Amino acid sequence: MSRGDLILIEGLEIATVIGIYDWERDIQQRIRLDIEMLWDISKAAASDDIRDALDYHAITTRLLEYVESASFGLIESLAEGCAGIILNEFSVPWLRLKLSKPLPDLGMKHAAIVIERGVLPG
């Protein structure tokens, strides 16, 4: 596998209940996911067939289902859950995931974390 092939999902916004404060537990907030996934694209490029590609539509649909159907206290918990789905259900060997949560009440546009999970080849 080439170390350089990345599939990106950028700016995926999903409404969910997230936060530790009482007022946050009563509302939905829009989080943003930016995801880089290692994937060898050579087979899909040669065949031009979705069956040989990493189906980012299927990943997006699964993440929407997961995030919208649950509630989370910490962005760390949500990031780990999303990473686990991608790694385990879609056999992605490595990913970098950035999760942003708006925090205008604290004078900032977003709080965010970036995690890397999986194994880089070679």
Side-chain angles (χ1 to χ4, degrees):
M1 175 184 299
S2 168
R3 288 189 59 159
D5 299 343
L6 294 174
I7 305 293
L8 307 177
I9 296 173
E10 297 178 318
L12 177 60
E13 294 190 6
I14 309 171
T16 192
V17 175
I18 186 162
I20 58 170
Y21 300 108
D22 290 340
W23 66 267
E24 291 180 300
R25 307 306 302 160
D26 293 330
I27 63 168
Q28 286 198 326
Q29 298 180 70
R30 295 191 73 73
I31 58 99
R32 176 185 165 134
L33 294 172
D34 296 294
I35 308 163
E36 299 176 29
M37 299 166 286
L38 185 68
W39 193 260
D40 183 353
I41 68 163
S42 60
K43 188 174 180 183
S47 70
D48 199 28
D49 189 329
I50 187 64
R51 292 174 295 191
D52 295 327
L54 181 60
D55 188 344
Y56 54 83
H57 180 265
I59 292 172
T60 300
T61 300
R62 179 65 177 97
L63 291 175
L64 284 165
E65 172 188 282
Y66 171 69
V67 175
E68 290 177 341
S69 68
S71 69
F72 306 89
L74 300 175
I75 58 176
E76 291 86 346
S77 300
L78 177 52
E80 285 289 347
C82 291
I85 286 170
I86 296 167
L87 293 169
N88 298 320
E89 295 181 22
F90 295 93
S91 302
V92 169
W94 174 90
L95 65 81
R96 177 180 294 123
L97 182 146
K98 178 181 177 184
L99 191 151
S100 305
K101 173 185 162 182
L103 286 173
D105 293 349
L106 296 178
M108 66 179 99
K109 186 173 182 179
H110 293 97
I113 59 169
V114 177
I115 63 171
E116 293 184 19
R117 297 293 180 269
V119 178
L120 286 169

